[in-house]
Amino acid sequence: MRLVFATHNAHKLNEVRNILCAYAEEQGTSPIELMGLEDLKCYDDIPENESTLEGNARAKADFVFSRFSVDCFADDTGLEIEALGGEPGVYSARYAGEGHDSFANRKKVMDLMQGICNRKARFRTVVALRLGGEEHLFEGVVNGIITESEHGTGGFGYDSIFQPDGFDRTFAELDIKTKNSISHRGMAMRKLVEFLVNYKK
């Protein structure tokens, strides 16, 4: 099976490829051939103007499906911090302003969280799949805390300030296999693959 992942983010594309390959190896199934937008020669900056993660994921998948008529999926992920009323949420990628500057986004979070004892947060990913003209949604959630300083050099985005429950290290300190086995995106993608495996049957 061949699918297009509606993203320009090379980090996300590689992470999802790793997740899909690991799942295929675990289940003894054929891996899904995953392509990114560049493989379609699509360089458009797909708008993410919806007010929810579900809305943005749907909009991105719909954009690619309507433009290229290919089976595809898109995701949107938000870091939801309890003490900040769920922010940055749907605005996670541009929390410090337009430009998708991860360093500035993390700094804004750390500044807002100074002196706050409640560090509870969660990462949530929603995946929208367009397959055979039908739409399907999958969700993954991982709970944790916002650390008081950055730790680790791996990962991307907010990984260096998010410590998942049950671990004493941030996402940025975990090896990629461990992170993918517990992450929000990993959970959502495994649900996607399980659906596809059954769909092919």
Side-chain angles (χ1 to χ4, degrees):
M1 178 177 286
R2 176 180 294 179
L3 277 178
V4 174
F5 183 15
T7 185
H8 292 293
N9 189 318
H11 292 293
K12 285 171 62 171
L13 183 60
N14 287 332
E15 184 172 277
V16 171
R17 277 183 174 141
N18 286 332
I19 292 169
L20 297 184
C21 287
Y23 185 87
E25 184 177 331
E26 176 186 311
Q27 298 296 314
T29 60
S30 300
I32 294 168
E33 183 182 347
L34 190 63
M35 300 187 299
L37 292 177
E38 277 70 18
D39 295 307
L40 294 180
K41 303 295 189 290
C42 175
Y43 304 106
D44 297 310
D45 190 10
I46 304 176
E48 298 182 45
N49 301 321
E50 302 298 323
S51 61
T52 64
L53 300 178
E54 291 85 354
N56 276 336
R58 279 176 165 151
K60 289 186 284 186
D62 288 346
F63 178 93
V64 173
F65 185 80
S66 63
R67 183 73 64 90
F68 299 97
S69 299
V70 294
D71 291 330
C72 63
F73 67 91
D75 81 326
D76 200 23
T77 294
L79 173 65
E80 300 172 345
I81 302 172
E82 189 172 286
L84 300 182
E87 290 188 1
V90 72
Y91 304 107
S92 293
R94 53 193 184 278
Y95 196 39
E98 295 300 329
H100 303 270
D101 186 329
S102 294
F103 176 80
N105 289 337
R106 290 194 302 273
K107 185 178 185 305
K108 181 174 180 178
V109 166
M110 299 300 282
D111 288 346
L112 290 173
M113 291 294 288
Q114 281 191 5
I116 295 179
C117 295
N118 178 8
R119 315 292 294 187
K120 291 180 181 179
R122 69 176 188 171
F123 265 122
R124 189 164 69 95
T125 288
V126 176
V127 174
L129 170 69
R130 288 296 302 266
L131 184 65
E134 297 181 348
E135 179 186 79
H136 307 274
L137 293 177
F138 310 93
E139 182 182 73
V141 177
V142 60
N143 295 305
I145 61 169
I146 300 298
T147 55
E148 295 187 359
S149 60
E150 294 200 43
H151 299 279
T153 58
F156 58 97
Y158 297 94
D159 283 357
S160 61
I161 62 172
F162 181 83
Q163 180 179 304
D165 286 349
F167 290 79
D168 58 3
R169 292 173 291 168
T170 67
F171 268 164
E173 295 177 291
L174 297 176
D175 63 86
I176 190 66
K177 184 175 181 180
T178 301
K179 178 193 172 186
N180 287 343
S181 70
I182 64 167
S183 77
H184 46 296
R185 188 169 289 111
M187 292 179 192
M189 291 302 167
R190 280 191 292 277
K191 290 178 183 178
L192 167 68
V193 176
E194 287 169 5
F195 173 83
L196 292 173
V197 168
N198 290 321
Y199 181 88
K200 287 193 292 184
K201 293 177 181 178

